Amino acid sequence: MNNPGLGTVLAIDQGTSGTKGLLVAENGQVLATAHRPLDQQRPQPGWVEQDPSALWNSVTGVAGELATRAAELGARVIGLGLSVQREAILTWDTQTGTPQSPLISWQDRRTAEKCAKLAASGDGKLITARSGLPVDPMFSASKAEWLLDSVDANRERSSAGRLRVGTADAWLLHRLTSGATDATETGCASRTQLVRLDHADWDPELLALFHIPQAALPRIAASDGAAPELGRTKDVPGLADGLPIGAVLGDSHAALFAQSHGRPGIVKATYGTGSSLMVLNPEGRQPGHGVASTLAWRRTRETSPAHALEANIASAGTAIGWAAHLLGTDAAGIAALATHARPGTEMYLVPAFSGLGAPYWDREAKALMVGMDLDAGRPEVARAAVESLAFQVADTLTRLDTVLGAPAKELQADGGPTANESLMALQAELIGRPVLRAGRPEVSALGAAHLAGTALGLWNDADLPTLTPHTTRFSPDRNDAWRNHRMSGWRDAVARARGAQN
């Protein structure tokens, strides 16, 4: 192909384990992909950090590779779309963009004691009522306070606006525009636990509770660049200056946009390091049963942001990674080993390595394996790790059904682990409903590309379904008795992990 008139969107998905990218043509075809892995550092038990410089290099490496590929194909990059890991947070100098701290991961537990005290107080109810989120170290607020205590204890620089504390999207926007854009995207902002959902803005009482000066925070921007508020690239290695940033989304929000095209009623599950079940909530249903409220996105052409319900599972791909490390293999090796497990073996891994997220939000739960016998070996451990993803999603979907008032008709699935067909088949059996696996694994990047393309005039919303790769359908065959038996075994294992006496 050599078509100088062919417009493309360069989409970057900056995630926990690495940065991925897609070059998406105006006909929806993915012309090229790129990937850079990222490491994590664990300086103390419960602490999880990443190097901002390594993160930035992964983003510019992916972007530069895709821009080069576009030039080789004779295509024209019209703009960027960006999806990012959400609750991870760092500080930086507002003049230079230089990080003043590591990026503290959403997995980090260093503020667990602080959160436990808040959750037990009246302030905990206020935080959840305003932000829609449970009080938990997963979210950014307590980590933002910890960072400022470490680098600006008297709040002098942050109160004067010389020190910024923000999520990865805000720092990347600053770097991509050489400091011209000082903003965080609406959906990512809502994950900080510092935003009042019904106002979609920073909440003064929440800021005071966490000792965060408002001058330390970026402004909250729309998710798309139909207006110039997201900015244009400048001085980015490998990219031309002046490329408009068409969209920024949290990674789970981007996956929902790709799966739903902005339509309500679509329940999606993203399988990654953790897992996220999410559905748009235009009816304003109240959260509960381990399900939280969040803002999905805000488009410049709409008067109010899109609200969503979400349940966050703490350890999904983490369980696969743990088993791979234990058994001396990798994720593909775990999937292969699992197929050799003895038929009929019922072992359950509860991957509460840092407690349990949705639907229990029990950070005192302990990881354990239930159902082992003397014949249990590597294949059985591998299968228990794989199956833990499906059990957690099925358990959580039941709670989401309760909040929605009726069972979802089907589940849209995306993320790297969904390439495992045995996992997807089991998922359908456990929920008793069809599972539709996305046509590409890089769904978050695809969602960012689609929103950016609509903002930049490449597509209309009506075009998006025709641009989305076909799904693979997995339908259940088992009866309710089998399903209830397996889910009962899983819930018994969870009860043991949470300290129940049997």
mmCIF file of all heavy atoms in Angstrom, residues 23 105 122 133-135 183 209 290 323 400 425 440 462:
data_model
loop_
_atom_site.group_PDB
_atom_site.id
_atom_site.type_symbol
_atom_site.label_atom_id
_atom_site.label_comp_id
_atom_site.label_asym_id
_atom_site.label_seq_id
_atom_site.Cartn_x
_atom_site.Cartn_y
_atom_site.Cartn_z
ATOM 1 N N LEU A 23 -1.840 1.414 14.790
ATOM 2 C CA LEU A 23 -2.006 2.382 13.710
ATOM 3 C C LEU A 23 -3.279 1.981 12.977
ATOM 4 O O LEU A 23 -3.325 0.941 12.315
ATOM 5 C CB LEU A 23 -0.801 2.351 12.772
ATOM 6 C CG LEU A 23 -0.739 3.445 11.712
ATOM 7 C CD1 LEU A 23 -0.555 4.818 12.358
ATOM 8 C CD2 LEU A 23 0.407 3.163 10.728
ATOM 9 N N SER A 105 1.899 2.607 41.833
ATOM 10 C CA SER A 105 0.931 1.791 41.109
ATOM 11 C C SER A 105 -0.411 1.726 41.814
ATOM 12 O O SER A 105 -0.508 1.865 43.045
ATOM 13 C CB SER A 105 1.485 0.373 40.948
ATOM 14 O OG SER A 105 0.505 -0.511 40.434
ATOM 15 N N GLY A 122 -16.676 8.179 60.078
ATOM 16 C CA GLY A 122 -17.740 8.841 59.317
ATOM 17 C C GLY A 122 -17.243 9.419 58.014
ATOM 18 O O GLY A 122 -18.006 9.547 57.049
ATOM 19 N N LEU A 133 -16.678 5.611 45.159
ATOM 20 C CA LEU A 133 -15.674 4.554 45.274
ATOM 21 C C LEU A 133 -15.490 4.126 46.721
ATOM 22 O O LEU A 133 -15.542 4.958 47.634
ATOM 23 C CB LEU A 133 -14.329 5.053 44.727
ATOM 24 C CG LEU A 133 -14.341 5.568 43.284
ATOM 25 C CD1 LEU A 133 -13.001 6.218 42.950
ATOM 26 C CD2 LEU A 133 -14.636 4.434 42.316
ATOM 27 N N PRO A 134 -15.205 2.844 46.960
ATOM 28 C CA PRO A 134 -14.882 2.410 48.318
ATOM 29 C C PRO A 134 -13.545 2.992 48.761
ATOM 30 O O PRO A 134 -12.683 3.294 47.930
ATOM 31 C CB PRO A 134 -14.816 0.885 48.200
ATOM 32 C CG PRO A 134 -14.482 0.631 46.768
ATOM 33 C CD PRO A 134 -15.144 1.733 45.991
ATOM 34 N N VAL A 135 -13.374 3.179 50.056
ATOM 35 C CA VAL A 135 -12.109 3.708 50.566
ATOM 36 C C VAL A 135 -11.087 2.577 50.532
ATOM 37 O O VAL A 135 -11.168 1.622 51.302
ATOM 38 C CB VAL A 135 -12.269 4.254 51.993
ATOM 39 C CG1 VAL A 135 -10.947 4.836 52.481
ATOM 40 C CG2 VAL A 135 -13.359 5.318 52.026
ATOM 41 N N ALA A 183 -3.732 19.225 32.223
ATOM 42 C CA ALA A 183 -5.094 18.718 32.370
ATOM 43 C C ALA A 183 -5.073 17.226 32.649
ATOM 44 O O ALA A 183 -4.130 16.516 32.288
ATOM 45 C CB ALA A 183 -5.904 18.990 31.096
ATOM 46 N N LEU A 209 -9.830 16.476 53.250
ATOM 47 C CA LEU A 209 -9.644 15.226 53.990
ATOM 48 C C LEU A 209 -8.277 14.600 53.713
ATOM 49 O O LEU A 209 -7.667 13.991 54.599
ATOM 50 C CB LEU A 209 -10.743 14.234 53.614
ATOM 51 C CG LEU A 209 -12.046 14.292 54.396
ATOM 52 C CD1 LEU A 209 -13.063 13.348 53.798
ATOM 53 C CD2 LEU A 209 -11.802 13.933 55.856
ATOM 54 N N GLY A 290 -20.502 -4.425 46.248
ATOM 55 C CA GLY A 290 -19.142 -4.479 45.726
ATOM 56 C C GLY A 290 -18.957 -3.774 44.408
ATOM 57 O O GLY A 290 -17.877 -3.803 43.827
ATOM 58 N N ALA A 323 1.548 -18.036 39.126
ATOM 59 C CA ALA A 323 1.700 -19.446 38.803
ATOM 60 C C ALA A 323 2.872 -19.674 37.840
ATOM 61 O O ALA A 323 3.616 -20.653 37.970
ATOM 62 C CB ALA A 323 0.404 -19.990 38.198
ATOM 63 N N LEU A 400 -23.158 -7.497 40.000
ATOM 64 C CA LEU A 400 -23.515 -6.429 39.070
ATOM 65 C C LEU A 400 -24.936 -6.619 38.555
ATOM 66 O O LEU A 400 -25.688 -5.644 38.400
ATOM 67 C CB LEU A 400 -22.518 -6.410 37.906
ATOM 68 C CG LEU A 400 -22.691 -5.291 36.870
ATOM 69 C CD1 LEU A 400 -22.621 -3.916 37.518
ATOM 70 C CD2 LEU A 400 -21.618 -5.416 35.779
ATOM 71 N N ALA A 425 -14.443 -20.482 27.353
ATOM 72 C CA ALA A 425 -15.501 -21.493 27.409
ATOM 73 C C ALA A 425 -15.980 -21.697 28.848
ATOM 74 O O ALA A 425 -17.187 -21.785 29.109
ATOM 75 C CB ALA A 425 -14.993 -22.808 26.824
ATOM 76 N N ARG A 440 -9.976 -8.199 18.614
ATOM 77 C CA ARG A 440 -8.559 -7.888 18.791
ATOM 78 C C ARG A 440 -8.250 -7.823 20.280
ATOM 79 O O ARG A 440 -9.090 -7.399 21.070
ATOM 80 C CB ARG A 440 -8.184 -6.544 18.158
ATOM 81 C CG ARG A 440 -8.247 -6.495 16.650
ATOM 82 C CD ARG A 440 -7.449 -5.304 16.136
ATOM 83 N NE ARG A 440 -6.030 -5.440 16.445
ATOM 84 C CZ ARG A 440 -5.148 -6.050 15.642
ATOM 85 N NH1 ARG A 440 -5.543 -6.570 14.503
ATOM 86 N NH2 ARG A 440 -3.874 -6.119 15.995
ATOM 87 N N ALA A 462 -21.867 6.583 13.953
ATOM 88 C CA ALA A 462 -22.543 5.513 13.215
ATOM 89 C C ALA A 462 -21.560 4.609 12.483
ATOM 90 O O ALA A 462 -21.892 3.465 12.155
ATOM 91 C CB ALA A 462 -23.537 6.116 12.225
#
